[in-house]
Amino acid sequence: QVQLVESGGGLVQTGDSLRLSCTASGRTFSRDALGWFRQAPGQEREFVAVTRWRSGRTYYTDYADSVKGRFTITRLNAGNTVNLQMNSLKPEDTAVYFCAAGRGSQHKALGDYDYWGQGTQVTVSS
């Protein structure tokens, strides 16, 4: 059974840091894109960051403009784990964060992914 499990969310203050982690299991994900999305109440789920597979088990990264320079996405455990280091957090970052896996050629839309985690809550107070 394929599963993606996120952890690391919590309640922090503006300027603090959090590190999210997602581990995928049930099959090999080394060639998949593993991405992070977030969704605030009443809003659409939006792209945050992704690690994209290339040849030789190398992974290239991409970020939403809203988090670029503050968040860092990394790949571990033979490609089956993806972390999101979030620094300089703002109240606007408050959302449920989801990790997702996909093998398509595009990696910034919900429909580009085949599997999703259950989400972890991140709340940033002022």
Side-chain angles (χ1 to χ4, degrees), residues 4-60:
L4 276 66
V5 180
E6 305 100 330
S7 63
L11 173 62
V12 298
Q13 296 181 351
T14 298
D16 285 352
S17 297
L18 280 174
R19 188 177 187 88
L20 306 182
S21 182
C22 172
T23 297
S25 62
R27 66 166 175 84
T28 299
F29 287 86
S30 60
R31 295 183 61 176
D32 286 43
L34 291 181
W36 287 95
F37 288 73
R38 66 187 183 186
Q39 186 170 21
Q43 300 183 15
E44 296 182 345
R45 192 171 299 184
E46 64 177 359
F47 168 78
V48 176
V50 64
T51 66
R52 299 176 60 185
W53 178 85
R54 294 291 188 269
S55 62
R57 291 195 177 189
T58 59
Y59 298 96
Y60 291 79

Side-chain angles (χ1 to χ4, degrees), residues 4 27 29 31-35 51 53 75 100-107 112-115:
L4 276 66
R27 66 166 175 84
F29 287 86
R31 295 183 61 176
D32 286 43
L34 291 181
T51 66
W53 178 85
R75 198 77 167 257
R103 289 181 170 177
S105 60
Q106 305 296 317
H107 305 100
D112 298 328
Y113 293 85
D114 303 308
Y115 302 100

